[in-house]
Amino acid sequence: MPSPPSGMAWKLRFFGFPGLICACLSISVASVIRPVSDAHRSAALELFVPVDGSFPSLEEAYQALRTFQILGLERTYDISHATCPIISEILGSSSKPEDLFHALRVNSILGCQIGTQIFEDVASRLLVGIKEANLLMDFYYSVLSLFYIKQQGSSIVLLDADVIFDSIKAHGQSDGRYRYDSDNSEPSTHAAGIALETLAGVLSLADSDMDQSKIEVVKNDIVKLFDSIKSYDDGTLYFDEKRIGDTEYRGPLATTASVVHGVTAFAAIVSGKLEINGDKMAGLAKFFLSIGIPGRTNDIYIQLESLSCLENNRISIPLILSFPAAVLSLSSKDRLKADVTTVFGSAAPPLTVNLVQVFSPDSEDVPILENKELQCDPENSIHYLDLLPLKVDVGKYILFFEISLHDPDHLNIYATGGRIKAFFFFTGIIKADKAAVGIFDTDAENAVALQKLDLSRDNTVSLAANHLKKMHLNFQLLTPLGHTFKPHQVFLKLRHESKVEHIFALESSAGKYKVLLDFLGLVEKFYYLSGRYDIKLAVGDAAMENSFLRAIGHIDLDLPQSPEKAAPPPPQPIDPYLRFVPKQEISHIFRAPEKRPPEELSSAFLVLTLLPLVGFLIGLLHLGVNLKGFPSSSVPVFCSILFHGGIGAILLLYVFFWLKLDLFTTLEALGLLGVFLIFVGHRTLSHHASTPTKLKTT
């Protein structure tokens, strides 16, 4: 097989064989459904963080409070000081049902100190507004707000509940969907969930029992609504709606959550049981859990609120079959383990987990294994199955499970989800056998001339050839059960002593891997470079626990001289780690210090410098200088003191200049002192000039 182009060879060379094997070890396994765990709690603590003691809106505040309530988390912050005044203001002044709804449901968790009279005033406003409501959302906000007020202990009764029930039901369609208004708006699945939750609120606030025939109509509508449910191959179910015009598209998550809220709320308030297959409730639970851990506050709130509704519904409580590990090692004798809990990880009732069928990619129509019951470990609340007696080989498998409840009465309480599909990946030790390498004149191999290789360790085979020879390499890979194994990637690398590399991909033929390198056809690819080539073999696969990069040995090639117009070898990439090697030490010789005069001469010069100062002091004593002419009045005295002090400061500045100050700093300070001395000196000299001459003489 010819060598790849130089550009491709450079990329492979840059990637490196260790990285190449790591890449082929990455496996693609379907996401495993797991119940709510501590990871959700950690995500909630990171996502819901108030700013300056509050959230941007009451809606976000409720999402945070409700999420923490569902997860059983203690709040690490107190938003009541900033939020309760806002709630009180809205309840006392706002008449919009939406604002009242958000304020009341936050208060239902926060428990602000709101007077009973305020709740009664809000209820009276809502009862008046609900009679004039026309839009579905107005009914929703008003009815749910009254429901929250009732939870606070107020006596709320809808005297005309039948009329309100019929007004909401008028938005419904024959397929179970609802419109947001009674005009020509498009029917919506999301609106159906809103309507069902509102109808449940009306029934809880009604002063008398509702006509049972109306409730039965709604039950039938719910059954029709579930006929439009969508599904994935693994049994995950969800609701969605089409994008129509400029109408707001809610998406599968919000739409499914709306239906779940509405259906579970309606089922909780009516007598009897809704005719909904329990497996559908389990499929909806799988949909919310398949999301994993959302990264947005709104998404994690919707997920957890919906799962909370499913955890406590009166239709069927979903049971979740989860697996601690979907990748199992045959060499380590790993057990297939399964755990059955509710969506929040609560213990399931007594049950049995059965492995119904096992399919491999090679036999998707015929199962390779059927009807194996998993053993129960009640101490660890886990079900397990030993893989060794099953005689399964390495690779990817599709497994189907079923859950059987021991108590028949539990069939009306729990939903097992029917046949549960799961993907598993089994890994093991792959044996490399019948490996040999040799140099021949023709394509035919000579078993005697072949040198055997042990691919469990590095080899030191020494080969020699010219451009008329051919190199043969072959080996076989076997699974733990002795079947022929075909890995994802098999490469042979030849590396010249000048670091020029050539990579060849090997292909399987008749259960063996063979490569034939005809050096006559490869001289141009080898850039006519004679010399030593190191040989390495790389084999990697996701199912191999012993993927390897083995040294085969080396080959000394004697190739013809390069023609004048032959392409030169490509430049080798510079190792980026070379920038971190120690740098060469810098040797620097500083300038020799200037020759200084002797110490005695310097001392003599200092004495000569101080002689004028001594002469100045002697002259002052000879003249009889005194302080008799010093001003006596307050202002001139103050100015004279400042004047003489300024002169002393200038002398002190000269001393500091001599010791450590630079010229620019000294001049800057001298300029400031000079301006100061001009002002105070002028005042001092003016006073002396105005003093009478006689007084001066005296």
Side-chain angles (χ1 to χ4, degrees):
M1 179 179 177
S3 171
S6 58
M8 179 180 177
W10 184 90
K11 292 178 182 178
L12 289 171
R13 205 163 45 238
F14 179 79
F15 185 67
F17 266 73
L20 189 63
I21 293 179
C22 291
C24 72
L25 286 177
S26 62
I27 60 176
S28 175
V29 179
S31 60
V32 179
I33 304 297
R34 291 189 175 90
V36 175
S37 63
D38 290 336
H40 288 82
R41 296 177 177 87
S42 300
L45 290 171
E46 293 180 3
L47 292 174
F48 292 104
V49 179
V51 179
D52 298 330
S54 65
F55 288 93
S57 66
L58 290 179
E59 183 177 6
E60 294 182 39
Y62 177 77
Q63 291 178 355
L65 295 172
R66 179 60 180 152
T67 300
F68 279 33
Q69 186 182 59
I70 293 172
L71 294 174
L73 293 172
E74 293 186 5
R75 298 195 300 272
T76 57
Y77 47 79
D78 185 10
I79 64 172
S80 58
H81 298 294
T83 308
C84 284
I86 299 175
I87 294 175
S88 300
E89 181 182 354
I90 292 176
L91 296 180
S93 60
S94 178
S95 60
K96 293 180 60 176
E98 182 178 0
D99 295 340
L100 296 173
F101 166 75
H102 290 303
L104 287 168
R105 69 174 184 168
V106 171
N107 182 70
S108 67
I109 300 178
L110 207 55
C112 301
Q113 298 298 322
I114 307 295
T116 305
Q117 186 61 41
I118 295 179
F119 284 127
E120 293 179 356
D121 293 341
V122 173
S124 61
R125 277 182 277 160
L126 290 170
L127 289 171
V128 173
I130 202 172
K131 296 178 181 178
E132 302 173 356
N134 183 39
L135 301 177
L136 178 60
M137 295 307 299
D138 290 341
F139 283 112
Y140 173 76
Y141 291 134
S142 300
V143 172
L144 269 294
S145 296
L146 291 171
F147 177 76
Y148 285 122
I149 294 176
K150 184 178 180 180
Q151 284 185 330
Q152 298 296 323
S154 300
S155 178
I156 305 296
V157 176
L158 285 179
L159 299 177
D160 49 355
D162 287 339
V163 177
I164 298 174
F165 192 95
D166 293 337
S167 299
I168 298 171
K169 188 65 181 68
H171 292 72
Q173 303 298 303
S174 60
D175 58 357
R177 295 184 298 169
Y178 277 71
R179 301 178 187 271
Y180 284 106
D181 57 54
S182 56
D183 295 334
N184 295 324
S185 62
E186 292 293 335
S188 166
T189 306
H190 184 275
I194 296 292
L196 291 173
E197 193 172 358
T198 309
L199 292 174
V202 172
L203 293 176
S204 65
L205 299 172
D207 59 337
S208 60
D209 293 338
M210 187 69 61
D211 185 357
Q212 191 63 29
S213 62
K214 296 181 179 181
I215 296 178
E216 292 299 327
V217 171
V218 177
K219 287 183 177 180
N220 292 331
D221 290 343
I222 293 175
V223 174
K224 294 177 183 178
L225 183 64
F226 269 77
D227 290 339
S228 64
I229 199 168
K230 302 180 183 298
S231 65
Y232 291 112
D233 294 338
D234 61 350
T236 301
L237 303 178
Y238 66 98
F239 289 93
D240 198 5
E241 49 192 4
K242 298 179 180 179
R243 298 175 182 265
I244 302 175
D246 297 332
T247 57
E248 184 179 359
Y249 176 67
R250 303 284 182 173
L253 179 60
T255 303
T256 307
S258 176
V259 174
V260 169
H261 294 174
V263 171
T264 54
F266 192 82
I269 202 66
V270 299
S271 60
K273 194 171 183 180
L274 299 182
E275 297 297 328
I276 299 177
N277 191 330
D279 292 343
K280 291 186 177 181
M281 303 301 289
L284 292 172
K286 290 181 64 176
F287 170 74
F288 289 111
L289 291 175
S290 65
I291 299 171
I293 302 175
R296 298 194 308 171
T297 56
N298 186 59
D299 292 344
I300 194 172
Y301 160 72
I302 290 176
Q303 180 197 43
L304 294 174
E305 182 71 73
S306 303
L307 291 173
S308 177
C309 294
L310 294 170
E311 177 89 351
N312 304 290
N313 76 90
R314 289 186 58 231
I315 305 170
S316 289
I317 300 175
L319 295 178
I320 301 301
L321 178 64
S322 59
F323 305 97
V327 179
L328 304 176
S329 172
L330 298 177
S331 61
S332 301
K333 299 180 181 180
D334 290 345
R335 286 177 169 178
L336 191 158
K337 297 180 180 180
D339 190 14
V340 183
T341 61
T342 64
V343 293
F344 278 92
S346 301
L351 51 81
T352 299
V353 179
N354 294 303
L355 177 58
V356 182
Q357 290 178 322
V358 178
F359 293 92
S360 68
D362 299 331
S363 59
E364 296 183 356
D365 298 330
V366 180
I368 63 172
L369 196 65
E370 289 184 299
N371 300 324
K372 292 292 182 180
E373 181 179 330
L374 275 68
Q375 301 297 317
C376 180
D377 182 4
E379 208 174 293
N380 299 314
S381 300
I382 204 80
H383 299 262
Y384 66 90
L385 183 66
D386 291 323
L387 296 176
L388 194 60
L390 302 181
K391 299 297 182 181
V392 292
D393 216 339
V394 297
K396 185 177 180 180
Y397 291 85
I398 304 173
L399 281 65
F400 289 92
F401 296 87
E402 283 186 356
I403 300 174
S404 302
L405 297 170
H406 293 174
D407 190 347
D409 293 337
H410 288 158
L411 294 174
N412 298 322
I413 303 174
Y414 296 97
T416 59
R419 288 184 53 148
I420 302 168
K421 181 180 181 180
F423 293 90
F424 278 82
F425 206 89
F426 299 140
T427 65
I429 301 296
I430 302 300
K431 181 181 179 182
D433 194 20
K434 299 179 180 179
V437 65
I439 301 297
F440 302 95
D441 296 330
T442 63
D443 294 345
E445 294 183 1
N446 185 355
V448 178
L450 286 173
Q451 300 186 47
K452 292 184 178 181
L453 301 173
D454 183 4
L455 295 183
S456 62
R457 58 180 178 81
D458 289 338
N459 295 264
T460 57
V461 174
S462 178
L463 303 174
N466 56 29
H467 64 287
L468 301 178
K469 302 288 185 177
K470 299 176 182 180
M471 187 181 82
H472 293 245
L473 173 66
N474 57 68
F475 59 93
Q476 187 178 16
L477 299 174
L478 300 176
T479 66
L481 296 184
H483 300 149
T484 302
F485 181 72
K486 185 177 181 180
H488 290 158
Q489 295 180 359
V490 182
F491 291 101
L492 181 69
K493 182 177 75 169
L494 273 69
R495 179 185 176 93
H496 190 253
E497 52 195 359
S498 63
K499 298 183 179 182
V500 177
E501 295 180 354
H502 305 279
I503 298 174
F504 305 89
L506 279 67
E507 295 183 357
S508 177
S509 175
K512 284 188 176 183
Y513 280 90
K514 296 182 180 181
V515 63
L516 173 64
L517 297 184
D518 185 356
F519 295 119
L520 182 60
L522 294 174
V523 288
E524 293 185 3
K525 298 294 182 181
F526 280 32
Y527 305 105
Y528 296 91
L529 292 176
S530 299
R532 173 171 171 154
Y533 286 80
D534 292 327
I535 308 172
K536 290 187 177 182
L537 177 66
V539 179
D541 189 272
M544 287 184 65
E545 297 178 6
N546 58 331
S547 297
F548 59 82
L549 174 63
R550 294 280 181 251
I552 303 299
H554 71 275
I555 180 173
D556 291 316
L557 280 181
D558 182 14
L559 301 181
Q561 291 292 328
S562 173
E564 294 183 1
K565 297 183 179 181
Q572 298 304 304
I574 300 175
D575 187 357
Y577 291 101
L578 290 178
R579 69 178 67 180
F580 303 113
V581 300
K583 302 296 182 181
Q584 185 179 1
E585 184 178 355
I586 300 175
S587 58
H588 181 73
I589 300 176
F590 291 92
R591 187 182 62 179
E594 298 289 343
K595 187 176 181 180
R596 296 184 179 184
E599 184 178 354
E600 296 78 5
L601 181 61
S602 298
S603 301
F605 182 78
L606 176 62
V607 171
L608 291 176
T609 305
L610 295 176
L611 282 178
L613 178 61
V614 175
F616 173 71
L617 295 176
I618 294 174
L620 291 178
L621 293 174
H622 181 72
L623 293 174
V625 176
N626 56 62
L627 299 176
K628 294 180 179 180
F630 204 80
S632 58
S633 56
S634 59
V635 175
V637 168
F638 182 68
C639 292
S640 296
I641 292 174
L642 292 178
F643 177 67
H644 288 85
I647 294 175
I650 291 178
L651 295 176
L652 184 63
L653 179 65
Y654 289 160
V655 173
F656 278 107
F657 171 66
W658 179 269
L659 295 176
K660 65 176 183 178
L661 292 181
D662 57 82
L663 179 62
F664 296 102
T665 304
T666 304
L667 291 177
E668 181 180 354
L670 186 62
L672 296 175
L673 288 173
V675 173
F676 172 76
L677 281 177
I678 290 174
F679 175 75
V680 297
H682 178 266
R683 295 295 301 271
T684 301
L685 296 178
S686 297
H687 172 74
H688 282 283
S690 62
T691 302
T693 306
K694 184 178 180 180
L695 183 59
K696 292 179 182 179
T697 305
T698 304

